Amino acid sequence: MNLPIETPAVLVDLDIARRNVRAFQAYADRHGIRVRPHIKTHKLPQMAELQLETGAIGITCQKVSEAEAMVDGSARIKDVLITYNILGEAKLARLARLNERVTLSVVADNAAVIDGLAEYFSGARKPLAVLVECNTGADRCGVATPDEAAALARRIAEAPGLRFGGLMTYPPVGGAARVQSFMSEARRLIEADGLQVPIVTSGGTPSMMQAAEAPVATEYRPGTYIYNDRSLVARGVATWDDCALTVLATVVSVPAPHRAIIDAGSKVLTSDLLGLAGYGHVLGRDDIHIDQLSEEHGRLVSDGPIGLKVGEQLRVVPNHACVVTNMVDAIHIIEAGEPKTEWSVVARGRVL
Amino acid sequence: MNLPIETPAVLVDLDIARRNVRAFQAYADRHGIRVRPHIKTHKLPQMAELQLETGAIGITCQKVSEAEAMVDGSARIKDVLITYNILGEAKLARLARLNERVTLSVVADNAAVIDGLAEYFSGARKPLAVLVECNTGADRCGVATPDEAAALARRIAEAPGLRFGGLMTYPPVGGAARVQSFMSEARRLIEADGLQVPIVTSGGTPSMMQAAEAPVATEYRPGTYIYNDRSLVARGVATWDDCALTVLATVVSVPAPHRAIIDAGSKVLTSDLLGLAGYGHVLGRDDIHIDQLSEEHGRLVSDGPIGLKVGEQLRVVPNHACVVTNMVDAIHIIEAGEPKTEWSVVARGRVL
């Protein structure tokens, strides 16, 4: 039976999302870890409110414009960490305005970013909290050693208008041991230098149920856990029943016995592979492989007869939920199995 | 010298775009081929107007909502081909309204789509033109044989409210010979059945300068040619100087001697690889490889010292221009090397 929704469309099952949020909050509560979810997955003030109501202490955003959209969208969002090096006068001006509205913190992994923040905030009424980003093996941003972390902590502490806020890392999957050793040593050096380390924050959905293995971290920032996706099912940390987000698509062509085309391509599912083969999982059809996407076409192939009819709807669990919510202006909310309403994805496309 | 543009941002050099459009139009004029550009690359009424002023006879869209945005955006757009199987009452209603406003045609590759169109248009004042989509080797949509094409042409011709509009294909790169043989045979069968074949339309930028090798095609639908991208440079059909679209990014971190991070990730550059290694080309820096993207970070690596400074802007030619314009609400227009204005990407995200 087709749903009365024009396709392609992104559906979010609110019952599953609630269950996912509660499950990690319960784990974190048991281990005394504060939860600060990353909103990049949903980009929705409503979902942030659900996370805060369940026990989260605040939210994480990646960009200033994302934080603005979230704070504009909910008066209940009062504590925001932006886990990004922020540069340039336009962004600093926006940051300063945000800092007047909520409890705000940002990160830095180099002196140029700290000096830029300090120059802008030196005359500010309220200091800006800055955490030092540490590289615990993901090899993206972050200082390479605890010594460098301590040097930047000192630089922040001495900068006018800034306050040293602690340590932040985005570790690789299974990186708890490295988080523990790096952050413990950095904290020791910083405390020996006479500074407090108010927060040590780590993140990542795949390893969240091992968060307690790095007890140095006071806070955890999961993102994808609210929706889950094919990449997390492949890692064995979620089942298809835990996937709150699906893409509803319609079969538009069955041009060969083993091939069908759906109306969802890379403009909805995206080309993110996350190490997987294929571009998503068709619910209820383990035998089908989505082997190719163009912008508006998804190609489904099967070994046996594909057994699909033109006009039939399918639900696809995408490889990566976070990037899919960036492709649509609104998502459809499902409750008790029924479409209930549409929510505008207000923080979509906020790359500044 | 940094441009006075907040990053990440998508820049389009209008001088290069004009030159690219003129170059293919000149080729097509020499060979008597009509040009119907695919707007999926730019999603901008202004660029469609440039193409029409240069000699294009109309535009191609992939989805109904894209066509609506383009027609709403420019009174000069009067002829639209939607190269997609259109299904479902909501889309058919939108299609019928569009058909009252412009010369409209769509495609179909199966009886279910034709019957759906016929049911909806049987009472319409103005018939809808429907072309048969043929598979000439890309193995996406399209009937598999000229015989099937002829059968569907007959079905369209006999359907109330529809008019047989011709044949359409999106061939694989280098597929001119197959286009010529398939389409010639299909046309022969259809004409033998007493029907006219008003249009035979083919497309694809990589092989556009061989369009004349399939003289059966009366019309060609290039898309990416207006901007070009890294995939076309890799194929040898464009140079970096022909790339009108670039992503302007800022170096936000240089955490290791051979690694730097820019503020453009998959939310701007996308994860499209198109068979390439890496996620884009940094102009002027052949030695740099963009080896990893997360949503808001692009990782640049080099064999030697990377020699970049935090705060420095870079320009990146993306792998695939079309998908990048879908990621931003507006692009920055560059003329004579200077930022001139911003254009809202009105057909962005139009997947319905």
Side-chain angles (χ1 to χ4, degrees):
Chain A
M1 263 288 282
N2 284 355
L3 288 173
I5 291 175
E6 217 182 334
T7 64
V10 176
L11 314 184
V12 172
D13 189 308
L14 196 53
D15 302 312
I16 300 176
R18 276 196 198 101
R19 200 174 69 212
N20 293 339
V21 168
R22 283 181 194 142
F24 181 65
Q25 188 68 50
Y27 170 87
D29 288 346
R30 269 199 309 282
H31 294 280
I33 300 166
R34 283 174 290 188
V35 181
R36 181 188 287 280
H38 204 309
I39 63 82
K40 70 179 184 127
T41 304
H42 53 69
K43 305 172 178 72
L44 292 167
Q46 298 95 321
M47 291 295 182
E49 289 181 353
L50 162 61
Q51 292 168 316
L52 292 168
E53 284 157 16
T54 309
I57 53 135
I59 63 167
T60 308
C61 297
Q62 206 70 328
K63 293 285 181 97
V64 179
S65 55
E66 246 179 2
E68 288 170 339
M70 297 303 287
V71 170
D72 289 346
S74 169
R76 279 185 263 177
I77 297 173
K78 297 194 174 80
D79 188 329
V80 181
L81 166 63
I82 304 175
T83 46
Y84 211 82
N85 284 332
I86 296 162
L87 285 162
E89 211 152 311
K91 289 191 181 71
L92 291 171
R94 297 165 79 157
L95 199 62
R97 287 193 294 273
L98 259 184
N99 194 40
E100 298 293 321
R101 299 172 66 190
V102 295
T103 300
L104 187 66
S105 42
V106 303
V107 307
D109 75 351
N110 63 75
V113 167
I114 293 168
D115 295 353
L117 291 168
E119 199 181 323
Y120 205 90
F121 280 83
S122 59
R125 205 162 48 83
K126 180 182 164 194
L128 178 71
V130 183
L131 287 74
V132 174
E133 179 165 359
C134 302
N135 178 13
T136 54
D139 290 344
R140 197 169 68 178
C141 287
V143 296
T145 65
D147 280 316
E148 286 177 70
L152 290 188
R154 169 55 52 195
R155 195 177 189 108
I156 294 165
E158 290 180 351
L162 305 186
R163 181 172 70 74
F164 174 61
L167 300 170
M168 172 260 166
T169 190
Y170 180 66
V173 176
R178 177 78 181 134
V179 171
Q180 183 62 20
S181 62
F182 189 115
M183 302 305 238
S184 299
E185 174 63 6
R187 190 177 64 180
R188 194 188 63 75
L189 291 170
I190 294 166
E191 288 174 351
D193 190 34
L195 296 174
Q196 295 280 315
V197 182
I199 294 170
V200 177
T201 176
S202 184
T205 291
S207 307
M208 69 183 185
M209 290 303 191
Q210 290 84 49
E213 292 172 19
V216 65
T218 61
E219 185 181 286
Y220 205 81
R221 311 180 316 277
T224 319
Y225 80 119
I226 188 169
Y227 288 167
N228 289 313
D229 56 26
R230 183 170 175 240
S231 79
L232 292 166
V233 174
R235 287 183 186 282
V237 297
T239 68
W240 299 125
D241 289 340
D242 300 325
C243 292
L245 183 146
T246 52
V247 170
L248 186 72
T250 300
V251 176
V252 295
S253 181
V254 187
H258 308 295
R259 185 170 89 239
I261 307 294
I262 56 173
D263 60 358
S266 67
K267 277 174 70 179
V268 178
L269 291 165
T270 86
S271 298
D272 266 28
L273 286 169
L274 296 181
L276 303 168
Y279 296 94
H281 170 73
V282 180
L283 282 177
R285 289 298 303 267
D286 292 352
D287 59 316
I288 289 178
H289 184 59
I290 306 179
D291 78 332
Q292 189 179 287
L293 298 181
S294 38
E295 279 130 280
E296 304 286 9
H297 301 81
R299 186 168 80 173
L300 279 51
V301 293
S302 58
D303 290 332
I306 200 151
L308 293 171
K309 280 211 176 97
V310 171
E312 183 177 351
Q313 289 179 349
L314 300 175
R315 284 174 75 172
V316 179
V317 177
N319 289 347
H320 189 184
C322 313
V323 291
V324 170
T325 63
N326 193 48
M327 307 307 279
V328 290
D329 293 330
I331 56 145
H332 295 260
I333 290 291
I334 309 292
E335 262 190 298
E338 297 288 329
K340 285 288 150 90
T341 183
E342 284 184 61
W343 287 356
S344 172
V345 186
V346 298
R348 180 206 63 73
R350 304 287 184 133
V351 292
L352 294 180
Chain B
M1 265 287 282
N2 283 355
L3 288 173
I5 292 174
E6 220 183 331
T7 64
V10 175
L11 313 184
V12 172
D13 189 310
L14 197 52
D15 302 312
I16 300 176
R18 278 196 198 101
R19 200 175 69 211
N20 292 340
V21 169
R22 283 181 195 142
F24 181 66
Q25 187 68 50
Y27 170 88
D29 288 347
R30 270 201 308 282
H31 293 281
I33 300 166
R34 283 173 290 186
V35 182
R36 182 187 286 282
H38 204 309
I39 63 83
K40 72 182 181 123
T41 304
H42 53 69
K43 305 174 179 69
L44 292 166
Q46 299 95 320
M47 290 295 182
E49 290 182 353
L50 162 62
Q51 292 168 316
L52 292 168
E53 284 159 15
T54 310
I57 53 136
I59 63 168
T60 307
C61 297
Q62 206 71 325
K63 292 286 181 96
V64 179
S65 54
E66 248 180 1
E68 289 171 337
M70 296 303 287
V71 170
D72 289 346
S74 170
R76 281 185 261 177
I77 297 173
K78 297 194 174 82
D79 188 330
V80 180
L81 166 63
I82 303 175
T83 46
Y84 211 82
N85 283 333
I86 295 162
L87 285 162
E89 210 151 312
K91 289 192 182 71
L92 291 170
R94 296 165 79 158
L95 199 63
R97 286 193 294 273
L98 259 185
N99 194 40
E100 298 293 321
R101 298 173 66 191
V102 295
T103 300
L104 186 66
S105 43
V106 302
V107 308
D109 75 351
N110 64 74
V113 168
I114 293 167
D115 295 352
L117 292 168
E119 199 181 324
Y120 205 90
F121 280 83
S122 60
R125 205 162 47 81
K126 180 182 163 193
L128 179 70
V130 183
L131 287 73
V132 175
E133 179 164 358
C134 302
N135 178 12
T136 54
D139 291 344
R140 198 169 68 178
C141 287
V143 296
T145 64
D147 280 316
E148 287 178 71
L152 290 188
R154 167 58 49 198
R155 196 176 189 107
I156 294 164
E158 289 179 353
L162 306 186
R163 180 172 72 74
F164 173 62
L167 300 169
M168 172 261 166
T169 190
Y170 179 66
V173 175
R178 177 80 181 131
V179 171
Q180 182 61 19
S181 62
F182 189 115
M183 301 305 237
S184 300
E185 175 62 5
R187 190 177 64 182
R188 192 188 66 73
L189 291 169
I190 293 166
E191 286 174 352
D193 190 32
L195 296 173
Q196 296 281 314
V197 183
I199 292 168
V200 177
T201 176
S202 185
T205 292
S207 307
M208 70 182 183
M209 291 303 193
Q210 290 83 51
E213 292 173 18
V216 65
T218 61
E219 185 180 286
Y220 205 81
R221 310 181 316 278
T224 319
Y225 81 119
I226 188 169
Y227 289 166
N228 290 311
D229 56 24
R230 184 171 175 239
S231 79
L232 292 166
V233 174
R235 287 184 187 281
V237 298
T239 68
W240 299 124
D241 289 340
D242 300 326
C243 292
L245 182 145
T246 52
V247 170
L248 185 72
T250 299
V251 176
V252 295
S253 181
V254 187
H258 307 296
R259 184 169 91 240
I261 306 295
I262 56 173
D263 60 358
S266 67
K267 277 174 70 178
V268 178
L269 290 165
T270 86
S271 299
D272 266 28
L273 285 170
L274 297 182
L276 302 168
Y279 295 95
H281 170 72
V282 180
L283 282 178
R285 291 295 305 266
D286 291 353
D287 59 317
I288 289 178
H289 184 59
I290 305 179
D291 78 332
Q292 189 178 288
L293 297 182
S294 39
E295 281 131 279
E296 305 286 8
H297 301 80
R299 186 167 80 172
L300 280 50
V301 293
S302 58
D303 290 331
I306 201 154
L308 293 172
K309 282 210 176 95
V310 170
E312 182 178 352
Q313 288 180 348
L314 300 174
R315 286 174 73 173
V316 179
V317 178
N319 288 348
H320 189 185
C322 313
V323 291
V324 170
T325 63
N326 193 49
M327 307 307 278
V328 290
D329 293 329
I331 56 145
H332 294 262
I333 291 291
I334 309 292
E335 261 189 297
E338 298 287 329
K340 285 287 149 75
T341 185
E342 284 184 60
W343 287 355
S344 172
V345 186
V346 298
R348 181 205 60 74
R350 304 287 184 133
V351 292
L352 295 179

